Amino acid sequence: QKEVEQNSGPLSVPEGAIASLNCTYSDRGSQSFFWYRQYSGKSPELIMSIYSNGDKEDGRFTAQLNKASQYVSLLIRDSQPSDSATYLCALSLTGTYKYIFGTGTRLKVLA
Amino acid sequence: DAGVIQSPRHEVTEMGQEVTLRCKPISGHNSLFWYRQTMMRGLELLIYFNNNVPIDDSGMPEDRFSAKMPNASFSTLKIQPSEPRDSAVYFCASSDLGEPQHFGDGTRLSIL
């Protein structure tokens, strides 16, 4: 089993809708969780980090973490065509600086 | 603030040649990471340094790959000899203790 699993997509949503991206992980020692956005041909860009159970909101983005169920999700409200990108879920293991990345979910927001 | 700076942005070379990729981390960051990204395998961690010391190189694919960090502001990733299967985008990232990683723009490497 992969350490971090994401559906590769593409996930297509109409403009203005809520996009929901999900990520599951296998290591219960995972401590910190991150969502990165990567446009085609560009480098990953951090958009959210979350460290404790519950929701964390930043503008149109909400990250949700449930350590008991071992999943983390990202909601994008009022999706825009400019949100079309690959979203990478990452986690760091307790006691290390090492990140484990998922393979990413490609999001397409249709105008 | 300057971000993570990588050079070159693109490299095309022939099989068997030595390739050196360079990275300047964000000033003050004490951790530096080298990643490789391909369509098939996604983003893979190759090696990371903490305070210029290599901590985990378990992701380095084979002895043809080596990385150094001679000081806090510079790191290199070297491939010798290079092979076509090394073609990928190589990213460098840096972070401060406990903080998220910030990525450079990457080096797109093509081995012919």
Side-chain angles (χ1 to χ4, degrees):
Chain A
Q1 182 188 3
K2 291 183 182 175
E3 293 177 274
V4 180
E5 299 234 29
Q6 294 182 257
N7 188 319
S8 61
L11 172 67
S12 295
V13 300
E15 184 175 358
I18 295 175
S20 178
L21 304 162
N22 299 308
C23 173
T24 59
Y25 61 94
S26 58
D27 193 322
R28 289 192 175 274
S30 303
Q31 184 175 35
S32 306
F33 303 84
F34 309 93
W35 283 99
Y36 284 80
R37 177 178 61 199
Q38 188 174 24
Y39 292 113
S40 181
K42 300 294 186 182
S43 60
E45 172 194 12
L46 178 74
I47 52 173
M48 292 285 285
S49 56
I50 186 165
Y51 305 101
S52 55
N53 280 328
D55 294 2
K56 180 181 177 182
E57 188 174 314
D58 184 359
R60 295 187 298 114
F61 299 98
T62 299
Q64 300 174 318
L65 174 60
N66 185 322
K67 289 189 177 182
S69 300
Q70 295 176 249
Y71 81 79
V72 56
S73 62
L74 180 71
L75 302 178
I76 306 174
R77 288 181 299 281
D78 188 24
S79 295
Q80 301 297 309
S82 58
D83 295 325
S84 298
T86 296
Y87 289 80
L88 301 168
C89 171
L91 57 85
S92 68
L93 302 176
T94 303
T96 83
Y97 301 106
K98 188 173 171 175
Y99 282 19
I100 309 297
F101 279 86
T103 53
T105 298
R106 193 155 64 99
L107 173 66
K108 292 176 128 177
V109 180
L110 308 172
Chain B
D1 287 343
V4 176
I5 299 172
Q6 292 186 246
S7 64
R9 291 295 308 278
H10 303 273
E11 175 89 10
V12 181
T13 192
E14 292 188 346
M15 177 175 142
Q17 297 297 306
E18 178 177 291
V19 173
T20 300
L21 311 181
R22 297 172 177 79
C23 176
K24 177 179 168 56
I26 293 172
S27 177
H29 282 189
N30 58 9
S31 298
L32 183 140
F33 307 81
W34 282 101
Y35 291 90
R36 177 173 67 177
Q37 187 174 42
T38 61
M39 289 293 293
M40 291 297 295
R41 300 173 68 89
L43 197 60
E44 301 174 280
L45 177 66
L46 300 177
I47 185 171
Y48 79 93
F49 296 83
N50 190 43
N51 292 325
N52 312 340
V53 176
I55 302 300
D56 184 344
D57 65 354
S58 59
M60 296 285 261
E62 47 198 275
D63 292 346
R64 296 185 298 106
F65 285 69
S66 62
K68 292 183 180 179
M69 191 165 185
N71 57 61
S73 58
F74 184 65
S75 177
T76 59
L77 178 68
K78 191 171 291 189
I79 309 172
Q80 167 63 20
S82 57
E83 296 183 5
R85 60 192 167 121
D86 302 330
S87 298
V89 181
Y90 290 80
F91 289 106
C92 176
S94 71
S95 71
D96 200 356
L97 182 65
E99 295 297 314
Q101 294 178 18
H102 296 269
F103 284 75
D105 289 337
T107 295
R108 187 172 297 273
L109 177 64
S110 295
I111 308 296
L112 306 177

